[in-house]
Amino acid sequence: MNLVALPAFSDNLIWMLHDGSQALVVDPGDSAPVLAALTEWQLVLSGILVTHHHGDHTGGIEALRPVLQGPVWGPARESIPQPFTPLSAGQSLEWQGLRFEVLDVPGHTAGHIAFWAQPAGQAPVLFCGDTMFSGGCGRLFEGTPAQMHHSLMQLAALPAESRVCCAHEYTLSNLRFALAVEPDNQDLLRYVDHCTAVRERGEFTLPSSIGLERLINPFLRCALPGPRQAALQQGAGSAAEVDVFAALRLWKNNFR
């Protein structure tokens, strides 16, 4: 399976999996990059995955339907352009022999889902939409801190080698905040240097990996002394993980 990131808008990434013949796309907010890739590589679009209802993730679906030869799968508890196959935690889907497990990951939106699969002979792949970014997490538009913290802990528990395919190239911005939380984190400092060089070459920092995110993403590290102390200094109600997460997320909302 070939994994490709198609840039859209200012910082969105539409992920495409293809086997040289059939293609699956994730969160196509814009149809144009998908149609261009299908034409360039002579692929048949045979499936669409949707993680949540925001327009920059769903806006291209209708324009893709004339060439789509397969289902649209999306979150059961959100309003997705019909027709689509609704999914929630514990369910799975199959595309080209690849089995995707579905996870409920509310927080950014109320019904947000994620998709995880293990291609044969390759590292697993996680399509997590706007729940987790490299070095960060999504804003809480519809969910609670407790929901988002639980969602992130679900993702953090996935195999370390899982490729994290989030939907925005926000990494450098997120890492500036992560450094404010853990300025002495050596793994983070090395990752900042790496990502800075990658972006200077005009390349994407993504996909990341679950193992890497455990080392550098403050929102996955709320039980550890550095993030906990930083959150308490920002007014966290207690040292409990959910309170630490809530304080970090509020701090990030206003961080410049």
Side-chain angles (χ1 to χ4, degrees):
M1 285 292 174
N2 302 288
L3 179 65
V4 182
L6 306 175
F9 308 121
S10 61
D11 51 38
N12 281 68
L13 294 179
I14 300 170
W15 292 95
M16 173 183 281
L17 272 179
H18 73 85
D19 60 4
S21 173
Q22 304 288 314
L24 175 79
V25 296
V26 186
D27 287 345
D30 185 3
S31 63
V34 177
L35 292 169
L38 295 173
T39 299
E40 179 180 355
W41 298 320
Q42 297 184 313
L43 301 170
V44 173
L45 181 62
S46 54
I48 295 175
L49 303 181
V50 181
T51 63
H52 65 291
H53 67 84
H54 287 162
D56 63 326
H57 295 250
T58 63
I61 293 174
E62 289 308 315
L64 291 174
R65 288 199 195 273
V67 301
L68 177 61
Q69 298 182 25
V72 175
W73 292 280
R77 295 190 294 117
E78 297 202 354
S79 178
I80 305 299
Q82 294 282 355
F84 80 102
T85 301
L87 295 170
S88 57
Q91 294 183 288
S92 62
L93 66 97
E94 286 202 13
W95 174 82
Q96 294 300 107
L98 187 58
R99 181 183 180 89
F100 285 91
E101 305 296 333
V102 179
L103 303 170
D104 281 344
V105 287
H108 180 67
T109 64
H112 201 302
I113 62 175
F115 302 90
W116 182 90
Q118 171 73 77
Q122 294 180 282
V125 61
L126 169 69
F127 297 120
C128 55
D130 289 356
T131 297
M132 180 165 68
F133 303 121
S134 188
C137 72
R139 285 179 177 265
L140 305 184
F141 287 121
E142 299 173 12
T144 66
Q147 285 178 314
M148 183 62 111
H149 178 257
H150 181 264
S151 296
L152 291 170
M153 291 303 95
Q154 280 192 84
L155 300 183
L158 293 170
E161 65 273 21
S162 299
R163 290 171 285 175
V164 177
C165 301
C166 45
H168 292 273
E169 177 58 73
Y170 287 164
T171 307
L172 288 182
S173 174
N174 287 334
L175 295 183
R176 285 194 291 274
F177 175 72
L179 281 173
V181 178
E182 290 190 281
D184 299 322
N185 182 332
Q186 295 303 306
D187 295 304
L188 175 59
L189 289 165
R190 284 190 290 271
Y191 188 51
V192 169
D193 288 343
H194 167 75
C195 290
T196 300
V198 166
R199 293 303 285 156
E200 286 175 351
R201 295 196 299 268
E203 300 171 1
F204 300 125
T205 62
L206 303 164
S208 176
S209 72
I210 290 294
L212 174 60
E213 294 304 313
R214 292 174 190 160
L215 296 174
I216 60 91
N217 191 325
F219 296 104
L220 304 188
R221 297 169 56 82
C222 296
L224 297 177
R228 186 171 61 225
Q229 185 60 35
L232 289 169
Q233 291 173 353
Q234 290 293 319
S238 78
E241 288 184 46
V242 171
D243 288 340
V244 170
F245 171 81
L248 292 179
R249 184 60 260 185
L250 183 60
W251 181 12
K252 177 65 165 65
N253 290 349
N254 302 301
F255 185 80
R256 296 291 182 271

